[in-house]
Amino acid sequence: MDYQDILNEIYEKVMSFKDRGIPASYIPELAHVNPENFGLHLRFNTGETYGVGAYHTKFSIQSISKALSLALASSFKNNEILKRLDVEPSGHPFNQLALLEIEHGIPRNPFINSGAIVIADILVSKLKNPKQDFLDYVRDITGDDTIDYDYKVAQSEKDTGHKNYAAAHLLESFGNLKNDVNEVLDFYFHQCSLHMSCTQITKAFYMFANRGKCVLNKTRLTEQRVKRINAIMLTCGFYDEAGEFAFEVGLPGKSGVGGGIAALLPEQFVISVWSPGLNKRGNSKLGMLALEQFTSKTQLSIF
Ligand code: GLN
C-alpha cells in the first residue's frame, strides 16, 4: 500500500471542505490560530514515517497531554489513581461539573478535566519540580529537547479558566485534592500548553503502540499499564464523542481543543493530525474526518 498517496488523497479532500469547524476561543490565546492549517503524520513501529501538510508546525496540544500525564503518574508505585478516579466514559463534555458533584468528587475518568486535575495533583505530590520534571519526561520519551510549554497559552488559561478553578475547588471540598488549588492548576495549565508538532506527538505516543518502549528504546511503561491507558483512550479519549470516534475511526486516541488528535494501533503505528477548527463536542472536525478516511482506506483499525 502506498501510504504517502493515501495521505495526499486525504489532504486534498480535507482542503476542499468549506466548513472547517471553529477554533476554540474560550482560551483567548487559542483564538488567534489560522483555521486553514492542516497537518497529518504517520509513524509505523518499523520506523517508516509519512507526512502531509503542516505536520512540522507546532500547536497547543491541550488535552492530548492528559495521556502523557496519566502515563507518568501511572509509572509511580502507590500512585492512588484507582482510588481517586474511575475509568468510565462520562458521556458529557470535558468541562462538565454536575457529575463530579453527584459522584462525590470522584471523576469519571482521567481525561475529563476534573480527572486530569486529580492526575495533576498526584504529579505535584510526586515530582520535585513538577513543571520542569514533566517537561523533561516529555523530552525524554520523544528524545527531543526542543519541546517546550507555550507560556502565553498557559497564562491565558490561568486568567480565564474559571471552570477548572471550580472543578479543583469541588475536588478539594470532597477531599480529592491534596495540594493547593493554584499550584495544581498552574501545573495543569502548563501541561496543557505543551507546544508540539504532529511529528513530535507521534514520537511521544509511540510507547503506547510499542508495549511501553519509547522511541529511544527505553521502557517507560509496563505492558499492563499500556493496555489500560489504551483502553481508557478508546472509551474516554473523545469525551461525549468517544462512541462516535470508535465507530468512525476505530482506534484508541486522545484529542485536544487546540485541534490536535493522536491515535494508534497497538504494535503497528501512531498517527497524529492537526486542524484547529472544532466540532460541537470540542474535537477537531477535519481531524476526525481525516482519521476516518485513513482507517477506511487502509482497513487498519483495532476492529
Ligand atoms: N486546557 C483545556 C481545558 O482545561 C483542555 C481541554 C481540552 O483540550 N479538551 O479546558
Side-chain angles (χ1 to χ4, degrees), residues 240-300:
D240 43 342
E241 206 165 31
E244 178 79 5
F245 192 84
F247 183 76
E248 296 288 350
V249 179
L251 297 172
K254 187 71 209 80
S255 63
V257 289
I261 300 177
L264 61 112
L265 183 59
E267 317 286 316
Q268 301 266 350
F269 66 81
V270 182
I271 189 162
S272 155
V273 61
W274 174 49
S275 173
L278 307 181
N279 64 19
K280 287 202 179 76
R281 270 131 175 204
N283 295 315
S284 173
K285 187 181 166 87
L286 296 185
M288 274 185 72
L289 181 98
L291 294 182
E292 179 279 316
Q293 288 282 305
F294 179 76
T295 55
S296 298
K297 284 176 191 286
T298 59
Q299 288 300 305
L300 290 175

Side-chain angles (χ1 to χ4, degrees), residues 203-214:
K203 278 189 185 162
F205 273 61
Y206 179 66
M207 63 183 175
F208 300 123
N210 190 39
R211 297 175 174 260
K213 273 194 185 167
C214 63

Side-chain angles (χ1 to χ4, degrees), residues 22-289:
I22 302 169
S25 58
Y26 77 99
I27 301 173
E29 202 56 35
L30 294 184
H32 306 315
V33 181
N34 181 355
E36 295 295 316
N37 281 302
F38 181 92
L40 182 59
H41 189 252
L42 172 64
R43 161 181 283 276
F44 281 99
N45 288 21
T46 54
E48 276 168 76
T49 60
Y50 303 89
V52 72
Y55 62 98
H56 285 302
T57 308
K58 295 185 180 194
F59 59 94
S60 191
I61 78 164
Q62 292 297 319
S63 286
I64 294 176
S65 68
K66 293 171 181 171
L68 305 178
S69 59
L70 176 62
L72 179 55
S74 337
S75 65
F76 290 105
K77 285 199 179 128
N78 308 322
N79 56 45
E80 302 165 14
I81 296 175
L82 294 175
K83 285 192 200 125
R84 297 177 58 184
L85 290 150
D86 209 340
V87 289
E88 292 298 335
S90 72
H92 288 283
F94 58 84
N95 57 1
Q96 201 238 37
L97 297 175
L99 265 185
L100 186 63
E101 166 118 64
I102 294 167
E103 298 180 347
H104 310 288
I106 301 293
R108 272 285 171 108
N109 65 67
F111 293 155
I112 51 172
N113 285 6
S114 56
I117 292 170
V118 170
I119 297 294
D121 186 46
I122 291 172
L123 289 177
V124 167
S125 296
K126 297 271 184 200
L127 301 174
K128 246 193 185 155
N129 301 300
K131 284 187 281 187
Q132 188 57 46
D133 294 352
F134 180 68
L135 186 58
D136 288 345
Y137 173 73
V138 177
R139 289 174 172 176
D140 169 63
I141 58 173
T142 49
D144 185 340
D145 283 349
T146 67
I147 294 172
D148 211 338
Y149 297 125
D150 182 332
Y151 294 93
K152 267 188 167 173
V153 170
Q155 187 59 45
S156 179
E157 193 169 9
K158 215 172 189 177
D159 295 340
T160 55
H162 307 299
K163 284 197 90 170
N164 286 323
Y165 283 97
H169 282 290
L170 202 50
L171 287 164
E172 190 179 32
S173 77
F174 284 107
N176 202 4
L177 203 83
K178 313 288 181 206
N179 297 283
D180 174 67
V181 164
N182 291 314
E183 192 185 357
V184 175
L185 287 182
D186 180 57
F187 174 79
Y188 171 74
F189 294 143
H190 280 83
Q191 161 202 324
C192 289
S193 82
L194 272 175
H195 200 224
M196 290 168 71
S197 64
C198 290
T199 46
Q200 290 170 326
I201 291 172
T202 53
K203 278 189 185 162
F205 273 61
Y206 179 66
M207 63 183 175
F208 300 123
N210 190 39
R211 297 175 174 260
K213 273 194 185 167
C214 63
V215 274
L216 298 180
N217 215 26
K218 294 181 267 187
T219 299
R220 289 291 174 261
L221 275 178
T222 64
E223 293 187 20
Q224 176 69 355
R225 292 198 169 120
V226 168
K227 175 184 140 192
R228 290 183 160 178
I229 295 172
N230 286 345
I232 305 174
M233 281 202 247
L234 183 74
T235 52
C236 310
F238 299 84
Y239 319 113
D240 43 342
E241 206 165 31
E244 178 79 5
F245 192 84
F247 183 76
E248 296 288 350
V249 179
L251 297 172
K254 187 71 209 80
S255 63
V257 289
I261 300 177
L264 61 112
L265 183 59
E267 317 286 316
Q268 301 266 350
F269 66 81
V270 182
I271 189 162
S272 155
V273 61
W274 174 49
S275 173
L278 307 181
N279 64 19
K280 287 202 179 76
R281 270 131 175 204
N283 295 315
S284 173
K285 187 181 166 87
L286 296 185
M288 274 185 72
L289 181 98

